[in-house]
């Protein structure tokens, strides 16, 4: 009969991480130039495909209630069976329309980066239309999102998904002979953790736009994406912010008018729930791109653009559905952070060249994404107050990776 043993956690035993040494110029040279070419016609075909799919799904959904409420159907399925089937059909519509809408949002995201077309007017007109339709202030978000890409994984300058520190959570530093009861600070019940995770999935993006939730903590308290005078924007960008606000104001009118004309319940069923799924998928995708116990964050001189770009992870997100409906936005995100103006349809081939050059510095995960979401939400709690190369710690204060010795802040070592 075997003896059960528990291996003691040791920071020294963790895999050591050395930040990437190459320049962006060296990495760029490893990617063939043909993958940086933007094809406006090809992009428009993808957009047209998405719009046609959305229209087809919407059209099919108009038949759901009449079909399952008719007498013949209720006689065949029984009234209860017909009702169950009716809501199951709505569930199928919501699932696929939510994915289609998210793909349309991704097209707007491409436009914001200038990756959709060589023509700025095409990018901005199409980006404004697609993002406004999905309640995203196009120009305002484009500005802050550009800053996120320019400073990704920098503790001081990144715009979103900035890790909390020990100090932020009022957790004392580790000290020899002193044991910290992490449950006192982080010991939520699974039910409460699930509630907080669902809240994040449904409300995090509006909360970020309105209140800078999960954004850079050094910004003023009322920082948001709708104030033209916000610290997020320069004086020259004010008119773009106002234009974004006009777009959102139009959506307020359009949805209000639609509710009064077609009924609030119909607006929620056809448009509201698929839009809510866009928020869910967008937050889930971006959270899992940037939040993993294996990914580093940097302070000070150890950060540079290419190290920040590599501090994200490609994921097998919903398999073929993620690739088809979401335009590979989750499958090939690392190359996007290195070269944001590269069109999404070149991502698969360009990623192969990137992997061949940066090797182990390329991060990929094929874990089921809902399992990965739960694990990352529980394991990525905080980073240390000190140190220039940082990794998330879990609810026990433990990491799964450590900086190489020359980058370690020995004073925070946990045994």
């Amino acid at each position: 009969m075997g003896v059960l043993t528990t291996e003691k956690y040791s920071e020294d035993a963790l895999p050591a991480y050395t930040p990437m040494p190459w320049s962006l110029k060296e990495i760029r040279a490893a990617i063939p130039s043909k993958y940086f070419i933007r094809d406006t016609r090809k992009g428009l075909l993808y957009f047209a495909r998405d719009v046609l799919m959305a229209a087809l799904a919407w059209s099919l959904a108009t038949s759901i209630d009449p079909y399952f409420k008719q007498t013949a159907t209720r006689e065949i399925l029984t009234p209860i069976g017909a009702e169950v089937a009716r809501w199951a059909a709505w569930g199928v519509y919501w699932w696929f329309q939510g994915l289609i809408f998210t793909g349309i949002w991704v097209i707007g995201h491409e436009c914001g980066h200038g990756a959709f077309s060589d023509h700025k007017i095409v990018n901005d007109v199409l980006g404004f239309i697609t993002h406004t339709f999905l309640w995203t202030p196009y120009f305002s978000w484009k500005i802050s999102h550009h800053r996120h890409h320019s400073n990704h994984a920098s503790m001081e300058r990144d715009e979103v998904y900035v890790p909390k520190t020990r100090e932020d959570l009022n957790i004392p530093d580790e000290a020899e002979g002193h044991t910290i009861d992490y449950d006192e600070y982080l010991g939520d019940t699974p039910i409460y953790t699930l509630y907080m995770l669902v809240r994040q999935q449904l409300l995090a993006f509006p909360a970020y736009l309105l209140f800078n939730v999960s954004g850079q903590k050094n910004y003023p308290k009322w920082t948001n994406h709708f104030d033209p005078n916000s610290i997020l924007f320069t004086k020259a960008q004010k008119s773009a912010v106002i234009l974004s606000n006009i777009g959102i104001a139009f959506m307020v009118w359009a949805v209000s008018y639609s509710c009064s004309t077609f009924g609030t319940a119909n607006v929620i069923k056809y448009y509201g729930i698929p839009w809510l799924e866009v928020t869910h998928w967008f937050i889930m995708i971006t959270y899992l791109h940037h939040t993993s116990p294996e990914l580093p964050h940097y302070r000070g001189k150890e950060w540079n653009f290419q190290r920040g770009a590599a501090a994200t992870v490609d994921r097998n997100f919903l398999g073929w559905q993620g690739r088809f409906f979401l335009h590979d936005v989750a499958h090939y995100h690392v190359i996007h952070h290195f070269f944001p103006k590269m069109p999404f349809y070149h991502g698969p081939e360009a990623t192969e060249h990137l992997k061949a050059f940066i090797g182990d510095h390329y991060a990929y995960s094929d874990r089921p994404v809902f399992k990965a979401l739960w694990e990352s939400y529980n394991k990525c709690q905080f980073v240390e107050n000190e140190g220039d190369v940082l990794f998330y710690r879990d609810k026990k204060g433990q990491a799964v990776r450590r900086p190489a010795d020359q980058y370690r802040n020995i004073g925070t070592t946990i045994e």
Side-chain angles (χ1 to χ4, degrees):
M1 184 175 179
V3 177
L4 180 64
T5 59
T6 303
E7 188 176 341
K8 183 181 178 182
Y9 174 79
S10 171
E11 200 102 339
D12 291 332
L14 296 177
Y17 177 83
T18 300
M20 189 169 62
W22 304 288
S23 69
L24 185 61
K25 183 178 180 180
E26 291 174 307
I27 298 168
R28 170 64 178 80
I31 313 296
S33 296
K34 64 181 179 179
Y35 296 128
F36 293 88
I37 297 174
R38 295 176 287 272
D39 185 338
T40 302
R41 180 177 175 275
K42 189 172 186 176
L44 288 171
L45 287 174
Y46 275 108
F47 173 63
R49 185 200 73 179
D50 289 351
V51 171
L52 287 173
M53 287 193 301
L56 177 61
W58 193 298
S59 177
L60 290 173
T62 61
S63 299
I64 293 175
D65 286 348
Y67 177 76
F68 288 104
K69 287 183 177 181
Q70 66 182 353
T71 303
T73 304
R74 296 174 74 83
E75 287 178 352
I76 295 171
L77 299 178
T78 75
I80 294 176
E83 196 66 9
V84 170
R86 182 170 75 92
W87 286 110
W90 277 112
V92 171
Y93 168 76
W94 293 330
W95 174 270
F96 285 103
Q97 190 71 297
L99 289 173
I100 295 166
F101 277 13
T102 306
I104 292 173
W105 190 95
V106 170
I107 293 293
H109 167 263
E110 287 279 297
C111 293
H113 280 292
F116 186 86
S117 172
D118 287 329
H119 307 288
K120 187 176 184 299
I121 186 67
V122 174
N123 288 321
D124 284 344
V125 169
L126 186 59
F128 180 78
I129 292 170
T130 54
H131 273 195
T132 299
F133 171 71
L134 295 168
W135 292 87
T136 301
Y138 171 72
F139 293 104
S140 307
W141 186 79
K142 169 185 171 181
I143 292 165
S144 67
H145 189 61
H146 173 75
R147 193 177 293 118
H148 157 67
H149 270 264
S150 300
N151 299 284
H152 179 244
S154 166
M155 289 293 292
E156 297 92 348
R157 296 186 303 279
D158 201 355
E159 288 293 316
V160 69
Y161 297 123
V162 182
K164 289 182 170 61
T165 63
R166 274 185 187 273
E167 184 179 7
D168 292 332
L169 299 178
N170 297 312
I171 302 173
D173 290 332
E174 293 280 345
E176 185 115 8
H178 175 66
T179 301
I180 297 175
D181 182 6
Y182 281 97
D183 282 341
E184 182 180 338
Y185 301 94
L186 304 170
D188 296 327
T189 65
I191 291 296
Y192 182 75
T193 300
L194 179 62
Y195 160 73
M196 293 296 289
L197 181 56
V198 171
R199 190 180 74 163
Q200 169 186 284
Q201 291 307 115
L202 298 180
L203 300 177
F205 189 46
Y208 169 64
L209 294 175
L210 289 165
F211 308 113
N212 194 43
V213 172
S214 85
Q216 183 53 248
K217 66 180 182 180
N218 297 323
Y219 288 161
K221 184 176 181 181
W222 299 108
T223 297
N224 66 79
H225 281 71
F226 300 95
D227 179 4
N229 298 309
S230 170
I231 193 173
L232 295 172
F233 314 117
T234 66
K235 289 183 178 180
Q237 294 167 338
K238 282 186 178 182
S239 58
V241 177
I242 293 171
L243 183 57
S244 297
N245 290 348
I246 292 172
I248 298 301
F250 169 80
M251 283 302 295
V252 172
W253 172 83
V255 170
S256 300
Y257 176 80
S258 297
C259 287
S260 63
T261 303
F262 305 107
T264 301
N266 281 326
V267 172
I268 291 173
K269 284 197 296 186
Y270 286 96
Y271 174 80
I273 293 178
W275 170 79
L276 201 60
E277 286 193 53
V278 174
T279 298
H280 156 69
W281 290 127
F282 168 68
I283 289 299
M284 185 173 177
I285 291 167
T286 55
Y287 179 79
L288 287 177
H289 280 158
H290 303 104
T291 310
S292 170
E294 290 88 7
L295 296 177
H297 282 79
Y298 299 95
R299 287 194 181 102
K301 62 182 178 60
E302 294 304 334
W303 180 89
N304 60 40
F305 177 86
Q306 59 272 24
R307 287 180 177 179
T312 184
V313 55
D314 285 346
R315 294 186 183 273
N316 182 7
F317 199 94
L318 301 182
W320 71 268
Q321 294 181 67
R323 297 208 61 188
F324 179 76
F325 292 109
L326 307 182
H327 303 298
D328 282 330
V329 70
H331 285 75
Y332 303 105
H333 189 73
V334 177
I335 192 74
H336 170 69
H337 257 277
F338 276 98
F339 308 109
K341 289 190 175 183
M342 177 183 288
F344 68 87
Y345 40 81
H346 292 320
E349 295 86 357
T351 294
E352 292 303 315
H353 292 276
L354 179 69
K355 287 164 59 178
F357 187 83
I358 68 175
D360 290 342
H361 287 279
Y362 169 78
Y364 174 80
S365 173
D366 61 359
R367 296 184 75 77
V369 288
F370 284 97
K371 183 176 182 181
L373 179 64
W374 179 258
E375 290 178 348
S376 290
Y377 195 78
N378 281 279
K379 291 181 179 179
C380 299
Q381 296 294 312
F382 67 93
V383 298
E384 294 295 346
N385 297 326
E386 306 293 336
D388 291 338
V389 181
L390 306 159
F391 290 92
Y392 270 113
R393 296 183 180 275
D394 62 17
K395 292 184 177 182
K396 296 180 180 179
Q398 299 176 357
V400 301
R401 211 172 192 182
R402 68 170 176 85
D405 289 342
Q406 63 268 39
Y407 301 99
R408 292 181 73 181
N409 184 34
I410 303 298
T412 60
T413 298
I414 301 173
E415 299 292 347

